Amino acid sequence: MELPDSPPTSRPASPAFNRQLEFIPGKTICSPSDSVLIQAKDVPTYLDKALKALTLHAEARTSFITFWLPSLLHHQFVALKFIPQASFERAAPLDITPRPDVVTRIFMLFHGVKASDVSHWQRAESRASESPELWRQVVGVEDSEADANAFRVVEWGGMEVL
């Protein structure tokens, strides 16, 4: 039996600085070329701004941060990135009935970085000073996904890369 295609996510992600479009659970890593590096104490503020840019409403942002913060705070520095929706869809297809108008899938990878290794993450550290809006293009999220009148499914998750 062939399943119907999953509902469309927003436009396909533009790789911007993120050249790794394939998401392979257990193999995909955070690197200085596709992540941001943030001091753990600054992660909640950064995540709130990034998740807002990705059209998550206040309750979803709060739930995401509350869930992941204990794991993130185990580290002095955190490298993190968001996976393009199209890549995540290939790794984890989603079938919902009735079919929603919009599906927004936000998946974060993160990796603890020791203070002694920060010098290897200069590109990611520099990128963290840019606006978290940069993730909209990487993930592939549009303003229309925040339409309060649409039947919208929001999925969020993450994974620590060890």
Side-chain angles (χ1 to χ4, degrees):
M1 178 174 112
E2 189 173 319
L3 296 174
D5 291 337
S6 294
T9 55
S10 60
R11 72 181 191 270
S14 169
F17 65 87
N18 187 348
R19 301 281 181 233
Q20 183 175 347
L21 293 178
E22 286 304 310
F23 171 61
I24 302 169
K27 294 189 180 198
T28 303
I29 62 168
C30 293
S31 73
S33 65
D34 65 7
S35 304
V36 295
L37 182 70
I38 306 166
Q39 284 190 328
K41 69 178 181 65
D42 297 328
V43 167
T45 301
Y46 185 88
L47 278 180
D48 188 61
K49 290 176 183 176
L51 296 170
K52 187 172 185 176
L54 294 170
T55 71
L56 267 62
H57 54 80
E59 189 279 328
R61 294 192 315 267
T62 301
S63 294
F64 184 102
I65 294 167
T66 300
F67 183 85
W68 286 109
L69 194 56
S71 297
L72 293 160
L73 291 178
H74 282 122
H75 308 285
Q76 188 174 0
F77 293 88
V78 177
L80 67 85
K81 70 179 182 181
F82 292 94
I83 301 299
Q85 291 186 92
S87 296
F88 191 71
E89 175 64 24
R90 285 189 294 277
L94 184 64
D95 181 37
I96 301 171
T97 304
R99 190 179 177 123
D101 298 322
V102 177
V103 176
T104 304
R105 302 181 80 184
I106 307 300
F107 195 82
M108 175 188 71
L109 288 184
F110 70 96
H111 172 76
V113 176
K114 296 177 185 174
S116 59
D117 293 333
V118 167
S119 63
H120 302 292
W121 289 84
Q122 290 177 341
R123 288 171 56 194
E125 191 173 28
S126 173
R127 191 174 301 108
S129 65
E130 298 174 23
S131 170
E133 291 275 332
L134 65 91
W135 295 111
R136 291 175 65 91
Q137 187 178 16
V138 171
V139 174
V141 173
E142 296 182 15
D143 289 335
S144 62
E145 292 189 41
D147 181 356
N149 296 317
F151 171 34
R152 179 181 183 204
V153 171
V154 175
E155 176 188 24
W156 59 257
M159 180 171 71
E160 182 170 11
V161 178
L162 301 175

